[in-house]
Amino acid sequence: MQQQIVVTPFAQKANSQLTKQQITVLQVNLGKRCNLACSHCHVEASPQRTEELSPEICEQIIELINKFPQIKILDLTGGAPEMNYGFKPLVEAAIKNHKQVIVRSNLTIYFEAGFTDLPEYFTKHQVQIVASLPCYLADNVDQMRGKGVFNKSIQALQWLNKLGYGSNPNLILDLVYNPQLPVNENFSLTPNQSKLESDYKKLLKTNFDIVFNNLFTITNLPVGRTKFHLERTKLYLPYLQFLESHFNPVTMDSLMCRNELSIDYLGNVYDCDFNQMMNLPAKTSSGEILTVTNLLALGSLDIIEKIQTAPYCYGCTAGSGSSCGGALV
């Protein structure tokens, strides 16, 4: 008889409900339109998806940016954020208000019709680029992200380097590593971030004359396509149990959900992008679901007490931890 797998509720393992700190990061998911359909995408974005930000919600987010000086970072994601409505207006509103702007880019978008101006646009506005390059080996990248994606990504990085990204201190170029999706129960945590960054830098410089600033290692959370893959292969619960077994309480203070709000293309508010994809909205202390409209009406970003948690939170707290900015410890 097979042993039943039990996963401890995250809030119980963490010993208390997570609480918010002052909000300094606004992460906006502009929609699900993308020129790629990556196998590990927790957003389930693809060229077939049409959901994107509306003009009304875009204006409300710009109002948030204008109204709250405490926002230090505007973090734009998708889909390919650049393909979705409102991308440039949000960038320019944030720059006008002296915010740091991060765009989470798949790099290949720069070669699509209508988007070939992006590298120069990013350079002009000194946008920080966080680019997905889940491996420095072509076969692994193409397997996860589609045929030819590695070569296009390399060309895009060389293009950005020529503009000063990776060498000019005002033009930050960071890369993101995602592990391959597990195919059996021989799970492993993401490799040591600093060592892997050193390997990336050496190989990309030697083979392609590419330089970049930082490498972020991000754990595959069982959300979106990763969750579907794990369920198909009957690895979902074993993987959750593996993540729980490597829970590291030291990561708790640095979790990205502590000081950020995640906003979707409909204007709903979440504690993080993963909760957004799993439709677990942020709530006030009275249990009211938050929207951008509520935030503007209440005149405050700091109205969430308890962060909503779920079993996949173990992915952010396992081992060295994981966030949109890489390892936590």
Side-chain angles (χ1 to χ4, degrees):
M1 184 176 176
Q2 191 173 8
Q3 187 177 1
Q4 186 178 7
I5 296 173
V6 178
V7 178
T8 310
F10 182 80
Q12 182 179 326
K13 180 73 89 169
N15 239 346
S16 65
Q17 287 279 3
L18 278 171
T19 54
K20 283 283 194 190
Q21 298 164 349
Q22 186 186 48
I23 300 302
T24 57
V25 179
L26 209 59
Q27 185 174 70
V28 181
N29 188 304
L30 284 84
K32 298 181 184 289
R33 294 178 63 206
C34 190
N35 58 315
L36 301 178
C38 302
S39 62
H40 61 290
C41 180
H42 70 280
V43 181
E44 300 169 58
S46 80
Q48 281 70 51
R49 302 297 292 264
T50 57
E51 305 96 315
E52 65 179 336
L53 202 65
S54 68
E56 179 190 5
I57 301 301
C58 182
E59 285 304 314
Q60 287 185 333
I61 296 171
I62 288 173
E63 192 176 343
L64 281 183
I65 294 167
N66 291 336
K67 190 171 185 177
F68 295 104
Q70 72 188 73
I71 299 169
K72 305 301 180 191
I73 298 173
L74 178 68
D75 187 339
L76 299 175
T77 183
E82 306 98 326
M83 287 185 76
N84 290 273
Y85 180 85
F87 176 74
K88 288 184 177 179
L90 288 173
V91 168
E92 288 158 31
I95 295 297
K96 185 179 177 183
N97 283 274
H98 310 292
K99 317 291 187 192
Q100 177 186 357
V101 179
I102 297 173
V103 58
R104 298 190 179 271
S105 181
N106 68 32
L107 297 173
T108 64
I109 186 66
Y110 311 155
F111 302 100
E112 300 286 341
F115 301 100
T116 55
D117 67 316
L118 284 172
E120 283 77 10
Y121 179 82
F122 293 157
T123 305
K124 175 185 175 183
H125 294 292
Q126 297 185 354
V127 172
Q128 179 180 344
I129 299 172
V130 178
S132 182
L133 192 72
C135 186
Y136 47 70
L137 300 175
D139 288 349
N140 286 353
V141 172
D142 287 0
Q143 185 180 336
M144 292 173 77
R145 308 185 67 209
K147 188 175 180 181
V149 167
F150 180 80
N151 286 337
K152 277 191 175 179
S153 298
I154 292 298
Q155 291 172 43
L157 291 171
Q158 291 170 334
W159 185 353
L160 292 170
N161 277 178
K162 284 179 183 174
L163 294 169
Y165 270 96
S167 55
N168 183 329
N170 296 317
L171 299 174
I172 303 299
L173 173 60
D174 298 325
L175 301 184
V176 173
Y177 164 87
N178 291 93
Q180 296 276 313
L181 295 179
V183 293
N184 54 47
E185 291 193 24
N186 293 323
F187 305 123
S188 60
L189 296 173
T190 52
N192 177 274
Q193 182 168 282
S194 59
K195 184 184 183 305
L196 191 61
E197 177 180 291
S198 177
D199 292 343
Y200 260 70
K201 285 188 171 179
K202 183 179 178 181
L203 282 154
L204 289 177
K205 178 64 178 173
T206 300
N207 295 334
F208 306 105
D209 199 28
I210 286 170
V211 296
F212 65 95
N213 294 97
N214 307 291
L215 179 74
F216 300 149
T217 55
I218 297 184
T219 301
N220 285 326
L221 266 69
V223 171
R225 288 195 188 118
T226 297
K227 181 174 187 278
F228 299 147
H229 165 81
L230 292 167
E231 288 173 337
R232 279 196 308 271
T233 52
K234 297 183 170 52
L235 294 172
Y236 177 67
L237 285 175
Y239 185 61
L240 276 178
Q241 189 178 55
F242 166 79
L243 293 174
E244 182 194 343
S245 71
H246 289 84
F247 171 74
N248 181 358
V250 178
T251 62
M252 296 286 288
D253 286 343
S254 304
L255 290 171
M256 59 186 180
C257 57
R258 304 297 298 270
N259 68 338
E260 84 167 24
L261 295 178
S262 172
I263 298 172
D264 70 7
Y265 62 92
L266 296 170
N268 299 309
V269 177
Y270 305 81
D271 292 306
C272 71
D273 196 47
F274 299 112
N275 279 1
Q276 181 183 142
M277 296 311 132
M278 296 301 287
N279 197 26
L280 189 63
K283 295 179 180 180
T284 65
S285 54
S286 62
E288 182 184 8
I289 291 175
L290 276 177
T291 65
V292 176
T293 305
N294 296 146
L295 294 175
L296 289 169
L298 292 166
S300 174
L301 301 179
D302 300 308
I303 50 183
I304 301 167
E305 292 180 8
K306 292 182 179 178
I307 293 168
Q308 303 299 308
T309 62
Y312 49 79
C313 296
Y314 285 119
C316 291
T317 54
S320 296
S322 179
S323 74
C324 288
L328 300 174
V329 295

